[in-house]
Amino acid sequence: MITFNHVTKRYNEEKTAVKDLNFTVEKGNIVVLLGPSGCGKTTLLRMVNRLESISEGNIVINEQDSMDLNAIELRRKVGYVIQSNGLFPNMTIEENVMIVPDLLGWTKKEKRERFDYLMKLIGLDPKIYRKRFPHELSGGQQQRIGVVRALAADPPVMLMDEPFGALDPIIREKIQDEFLQIQREVKKTILFVSHDIDEAIKMGDKIVLLRDGEIMQYDTPSEMLTHPKNEFVSQFFGKDRAIKSLSLHTVKNLQEVIGLAHIDDAIEDTKTINVNQDLRNTISMLLNQEADQVIVTDDQGERIGSITIDLVQKYLHFEIKGKLSVSQEG
Amino acid sequence: MEEWLRFLEINAPRILELTLDHAILVTLAIIVALLIGVPLGIYLTTNEYLAGTVLQVASVTLTIPSIALFGVMIPIFSIINQGIGFLPAFVALVLYSQLPIIRNTYTAIKNVNPEMRDAAIGMGMKTSQRLLRVEIPNALPVIMAGVRTAVVLNIGIGVIAAYIGAGGLGVLITQGISRGDNYLIISGSLAVALLAIIADAILLFIQKRFTTKGIAN
Ligand SMILES: Nc1ncnc2c1ncn2[C@@H]1O[C@H](COP(=O)(O)OP(=O)(O)OP(=O)(O)O)[C@@H](O)[C@H]1O
Ligand SMILES: [Mg+2]
């Protein structure tokens, strides 16, 4: 758990980057810091592991005031991922990943086992990559290494500053999915900086929307989309909020509320989609094919029904539009 | 040709001995220059104000004509009765090496990717750990380039050391000039050139050995 109490950051007389912030990141949650460039996201993040000093207020990490901890020890207990991955080119992948365990004095055997485990987590063969150097990896692979490096010593808290920002959209989505999968297993308390709305909606259990160092709203993604607190929030998420919120709902949610349609075997060329996929992907699939149904399969691959644009629209109307306090034009 | 061979036959032991003297003088000067220059270069990266001054002074040192610098050494070291010989020559060479070594160390460490430095600090490395594990290894090729420049420079300037009685290959050349003996001049010059080439090759080899594959391109 990370608690911010009246946290203020003044760089100099004129520049106050963060103004009297109060919020809590619950244990095991991902909180996304979202907002336009220069709103203070990075500053706020770097105050947690004391890469920046705190001008006023305090930050409490798992019941301990960060200022009571030794800065070096604190940083070893807090995983840190930066946008450019920050891998050290002079070290092999194994050395890179095992930096913090090494600083903490783990044995060779402990390090090796941990490395093998982490590499499997991100689907890279430890044998192949152990002795490679960062420049021998693709951008996506480097970024994954940057993420597991932060996980290496199993820190309870992680700070991630636009960790997937440098990747192209397709790889980014893949790594986001992969990371959420890992997070389900490891349950870290994570502060995650992003300036990408879709990423924030997808990754965040909650979102802190910032402007000029002040919190505009702190809520779950769906609350923010459906109940924006002020003009800035609703403008920030844009007129297509309704569409965006589709990615918060899965085919399964729809099935539970209004049920699926029957499969029309007369229609040729229909694609299939897993029941856990979100409705935004479903819609784009429906729009990108000839047939006007998509067959839904469960985790075992059984065909359990079909979904159509009409159905999504109906669900949207009941579940989402009904909740939008400001009228939707999307 | 025959005369050449006879010359070499007679003078080979002496040429070798002077080459060795030369190499020892330069090696000792470089070792001491490294011990001063590298830490100083690293320290300067943390003190911007001092950095400007020190680099300026080091640059000026390099522009002093070598014969003048050696000349200045004589009265200074006469105070401790070492006015001529090894010591003043050694000190002059240490001074000449400072610029390439300090400047390259300073620039190399300064140019280490700031994100890399940030990651190192953010993961809880102490300053010494950051220097030894991240900054110096990544700066090594540039630091070594400075060392190689200094070595070649010193081998050349070391020739002048003969004028203040410090021995070395300069002896062959100065004697050759005063006696009008071309063989002496040519063999002395060739030995200097050869020594520089060999020293540079050895340093390049060391540099390759200590640079990891990750930054060796
Ligand atoms: N070292 C510094 N000295 C003075 N001002 C700074 C410093 N670092 C950041 N700032 C200012 O503080 C404000 C917040 O910066 P910060 O880097 O936290 O923004 P950000 O939200 O991370 O932006 P981005 O999305 O572009 O990364 C900006 O106006 C920036 O110019
Ligand atoms: Mg930033």
Side-chain angles (χ1 to χ4, degrees):
Chain A
M1 195 167 89
I2 314 170
T3 307
F4 295 81
N5 294 314
H6 301 285
V7 173
T8 297
K9 173 70 186 183
R10 268 186 293 274
Y11 277 114
N12 49 48
E13 240 99 285
E14 314 95 72
K15 186 72 212 174
T16 306
V18 167
K19 293 167 198 154
D20 193 30
L21 293 198
N22 295 288
F23 69 97
T24 296
V25 184
E26 297 296 338
K27 193 164 181 291
N29 269 7
I30 300 180
V31 168
V32 177
L33 302 175
L34 178 68
S37 184
C39 68
K41 307 181 290 290
T42 299
T43 303
L44 188 57
L45 193 80
R46 289 164 61 89
M47 279 195 276
V48 177
N49 61 358
R50 290 177 54 187
L51 289 171
E52 296 290 353
S53 61
I54 304 169
S55 307
E56 265 168 49
N58 66 339
I59 299 175
V60 181
I61 306 166
N62 294 336
E63 265 100 64
Q64 275 183 303
D65 189 318
S66 68
M67 294 312 286
D68 294 342
L69 295 160
N70 171 299
I72 300 278
E73 279 167 35
L74 165 70
R75 290 174 193 149
R76 291 178 186 176
K77 274 188 228 152
V78 173
Y80 183 45
V81 190
I82 54 179
Q83 168 164 356
S84 61
N85 77 51
L87 296 182
F88 303 129
N90 59 310
M91 298 184 193
T92 63
I93 298 305
E94 184 174 28
E95 287 165 347
N96 261 294
V97 174
M98 286 300 121
I99 284 171
V100 179
D102 196 49
L103 293 171
L104 293 171
W106 289 22
T107 66
K108 235 179 167 157
K109 183 159 169 285
E110 287 168 329
K111 282 190 280 185
R112 175 144 298 199
E113 280 169 11
R114 183 72 181 156
F115 177 74
D116 289 353
Y117 167 79
L118 290 167
M119 291 300 277
K120 282 181 190 137
L121 216 52
I122 50 170
L124 295 177
D125 185 344
K127 278 207 254 0
I128 295 177
Y129 290 95
R130 189 186 313 281
K131 291 279 167 265
R132 289 225 183 148
F133 286 92
H135 76 270
E136 298 172 303
L137 269 57
S138 72
Q141 288 169 335
Q142 290 183 16
Q143 205 59 53
R144 289 182 171 99
I145 300 295
V147 171
V148 290
R149 180 171 71 172
L151 280 168
D154 209 11
V157 172
M158 299 225 328
L159 307 174
M160 306 176 81
D161 195 349
E162 306 205 25
F164 312 133
L167 302 173
D168 69 69
I170 294 170
I171 302 202
R172 187 187 319 159
E173 278 201 25
K174 228 183 115 195
I175 296 188
Q176 286 168 344
D177 290 337
E178 188 177 281
F179 184 72
L180 285 174
Q181 190 74 38
I182 294 172
Q183 166 67 355
R184 259 175 239 131
E185 203 168 307
V186 297
K187 288 259 164 257
K188 301 293 179 196
T189 305
I190 298 171
L191 209 51
F192 186 114
V193 169
S194 179
H195 64 244
D196 180 66
I197 296 171
D198 296 324
E199 180 171 72
I201 293 172
K202 179 169 177 180
M203 305 301 287
D205 292 303
K206 280 185 163 182
I207 296 175
V208 174
L209 183 60
L210 291 166
R211 182 181 66 171
D212 293 337
E214 288 177 90
I215 296 183
M216 291 293 106
Q217 187 164 352
Y218 178 38
D219 249 321
T220 61
S222 64
E223 268 303 301
M224 256 196 204
L225 287 164
T226 53
H227 295 106
K229 267 199 180 144
N230 53 46
E231 193 57 27
F232 177 78
V233 180
S234 60
Q235 291 224 329
F236 190 84
F237 283 99
K239 296 202 159 129
D240 53 351
R241 292 198 309 281
I243 294 274
K244 287 204 173 88
S245 65
L246 276 177
S247 60
L248 291 168
H249 300 256
T250 62
V251 178
K252 194 173 217 151
N253 296 143
L254 178 146
Q255 181 194 14
E256 279 159 7
V257 178
I258 53 176
L260 296 173
H262 289 295
I263 298 172
D264 185 348
D265 280 317
I267 304 175
E268 285 173 26
D269 266 355
T270 43
K271 298 200 171 116
T272 60
I273 193 164
N274 182 281
V275 70
N276 291 315
Q277 279 282 338
D278 68 50
L279 290 180
R280 197 167 169 181
N281 283 343
T282 312
I283 283 280
S284 61
M285 208 171 201
L286 279 162
L287 294 174
N288 284 321
Q289 68 170 16
E290 290 291 311
D292 49 16
Q293 69 169 8
V294 165
I295 294 178
V296 181
T297 58
D298 62 15
D299 284 333
Q300 281 72 44
E302 292 290 327
R303 290 148 49 109
I304 55 174
S306 77
I307 193 163
T308 61
I309 289 187
D310 280 352
L311 265 187
V312 177
Q313 216 163 29
K314 205 163 139 196
Y315 178 76
L316 188 69
H317 189 73
F318 283 126
E319 277 303 300
I320 304 176
K321 269 191 188 168
K323 285 185 186 166
L324 287 178
S325 62
V326 184
S327 69
Q328 22 55 62
E329 294 99 325
Chain B
M1 199 63 213
E2 237 167 74
E3 268 180 76
W4 251 116
L5 287 176
R6 264 233 318 284
F7 171 85
L8 281 180
E9 215 180 299
I10 300 166
N11 289 289
R14 182 147 175 268
I15 296 175
L16 271 180
E17 198 191 315
L18 290 172
T19 308
L20 199 65
D21 282 354
H22 204 100
I24 290 172
L25 175 65
V26 170
T27 309
L28 289 178
I30 285 292
I31 289 174
V32 172
L34 276 176
L35 291 177
I36 301 169
V38 172
L40 187 56
I42 293 172
Y43 171 73
L44 290 181
T45 60
T46 63
N47 190 334
E48 226 25 75
Y49 175 73
L50 199 60
T53 317
V54 171
L55 290 175
Q56 203 75 51
V57 171
S59 302
V60 171
T61 312
L62 202 61
T63 62
I64 302 173
S66 40
I67 195 101
L69 187 62
F70 282 109
V72 167
M73 290 292 146
I74 296 176
I76 295 176
F77 281 90
S78 292
I79 299 170
I80 53 165
N81 270 330
Q82 300 280 344
I84 55 169
F86 177 82
L87 198 60
F90 167 79
V91 172
L93 291 188
V94 170
L95 286 179
Y96 274 124
S97 320
Q98 289 307 298
L99 179 69
I101 294 177
I102 297 177
R103 189 183 50 199
N104 279 41
T105 305
Y106 171 83
T107 317
I109 299 278
K110 268 264 146 167
N111 284 349
V112 167
N113 185 343
E115 274 152 356
M116 229 149 76
R117 182 173 299 133
D118 203 61
I121 300 172
M123 282 191 297
M125 286 193 192
K126 296 179 196 152
T127 310
S128 58
Q129 290 167 329
R130 191 181 83 225
L131 275 170
L132 289 174
R133 294 177 183 217
V134 178
E135 300 191 346
I136 293 178
N138 283 295
L140 200 63
V142 179
I143 296 177
M144 279 304 283
V147 174
R148 284 162 57 198
T149 309
V151 166
V152 173
L153 195 73
N154 274 1
I155 290 174
I157 294 175
V159 171
I160 311 294
Y163 282 110
I164 56 167
L169 288 166
V171 172
L172 293 179
I173 298 171
T174 51
Q175 276 180 3
I177 292 171
S178 59
R179 292 181 200 165
D181 183 342
N182 283 338
Y183 289 124
L184 274 178
I185 298 177
I186 292 171
S187 56
S189 311
L190 282 178
V192 169
L194 217 60
L195 187 62
I197 292 170
I198 293 170
D200 197 49
I202 292 173
L203 287 170
L204 188 64
F205 175 78
I206 294 176
Q207 174 182 341
K208 291 242 161 90
R209 267 305 298 273
F210 283 95
T211 312
T212 70
K213 205 173 132 221
I215 51 170
N217 38 34

